[in-house]
Amino acid sequence: MKKEVLGIAFDDLTREEAAQAGAAFLAEDKFHYVVTPNPEFILAAEKDGDFRRVLNGADLVLPDGIGVVYSAKILGTPLKSRVPGVEFAADMLDCLNERGGRLYLLGAKPGVAEEAGRRIVEQRPNITLCGTQDGYFKDEEAVLLKVAAAQPDLLFVCLGAPKQEKWMARWGRHTGARLAIGLGGALDVFAGRVERAPESWQRLGLEWAYRLKSEPRRAVRMARLPLVLVKAAGQRFKKA
Ligand code: UDP
C-alpha cells in the first residue's frame, strides 16, 4: 500500500517486506528499479517535476530518512518503518549470494566501487562482481554500453540524487539487469570509507545527527531538512 508524503508515494513496508519484494524482482526476468528518498529528495522533487515522476514511477519507493517517517506521521498516514537504502542493499546482496548472480557497482569516486566490490565478494562468495565504474563520467551512453556488456543481475547506482534516479529511469531497462537500486553514498559505506552511526544512535532516530557530527560540511544541506516537517504540518492543518 502506498502512502503519500508531500507528492512522493512511498511503499509502506517493513525492512523484511521490502527484502521479500526485492527478492521477487531478482527472480523475475524483467527490469525493476528501486529508489530510497530522504527529505532532501522530497524538497528537490517539489521543484523538479521530472525527478518527481521518476521517483513515483519506481517499482519500490522506500523511506530512507527518519524525516520521511516523521512527516508521514504528522500527515496522519504513518509509515510502518524507515527502510535505509544501505540495509535494503545488504539484503539484496544476501539474496543474490543465495541464488548466485552478477553484480555491477556504478558510482562514487574512482577506486571506491572496486574496494566496495572486493569487500562484498569476500563476504558473499556466490556473487560475481561483473564490473565497476566511478560516478564522474560525461558520456552516459558509453557507460550504459559498458554496464550492459557486463550482463549484471543486480546494479547499484550511486551518483547522488537526482542523477542516479534519472540515470536508472532513462537507461536502466537497456542494461539487462533485473534490479537497479539508487543508493547515494552507499558504496562509500560498503568500501569502509564512511561509517554508519552506531546502532544506539540509529535506534533513537539520530543517524542524521551522527552524520552531521562526522561530516560538518553537510550542515548547510541539512539545515533545510526541518522544512519538510513544517510543510507536512502545514498540509495537515490545511486538510483539518
Ligand atoms: N557521486 C558520483 N557522481 C557525481 C556526484 C556524486 O558518483 O556526479 C557520488 C559521491 O561520490 C557519493 C554519492 O554519489 O559517493 C552520493 O553522495 P551523497 O552524499 O550526495 O548521497 P547521500 O549519501 O546523501 O545519499
Side-chain angles (χ1 to χ4, degrees), residues 36 38 40-41 64 106-110 112 133-137 157-161 163-164 182-189 211 215 217-218 221:
T36 59
N38 62 31
E40 275 184 77
F41 287 46
D64 181 80
L106 170 60
K109 300 213 170 88
V112 176
Q133 161 70 47
D134 72 69
Y136 296 85
F137 52 85
V157 186
C158 304
L159 308 170
K163 198 170 163 189
Q164 61 202 12
L183 286 168
L187 289 183
D188 301 285
V189 176
R211 194 136 189 221
E215 291 178 75
R217 64 186 171 77
R218 296 181 82 90
R221 241 168 96 174

Side-chain angles (χ1 to χ4, degrees), residues 3-19:
K3 290 195 175 161
E4 196 183 312
V5 178
L6 303 170
I8 307 299
F10 285 88
D11 286 281
D12 188 19
L13 302 174
T14 62
R15 175 177 173 177
E16 291 70 27
E17 289 166 342

Side-chain angles (χ1 to χ4, degrees), residues 43-96:
L43 293 176
E46 271 189 334
K47 298 202 176 102
D48 180 347
D50 192 28
F51 184 32
R52 194 167 56 243
R53 274 186 295 279
V54 163
L55 289 175
N56 285 329
D59 294 278
L60 217 50
V61 183
L62 301 175
D64 181 80
I66 195 74
V68 179
V69 172
Y70 286 155
S71 300
K73 202 168 174 184
I74 291 170
L75 285 162
T77 50
L79 288 160
K80 284 182 195 162
S81 133
R82 175 179 169 231
V83 184
V86 70
E87 291 178 9
F88 177 70
D91 291 341
M92 291 304 92
L93 290 172
D94 290 341
C95 178
L96 192 69

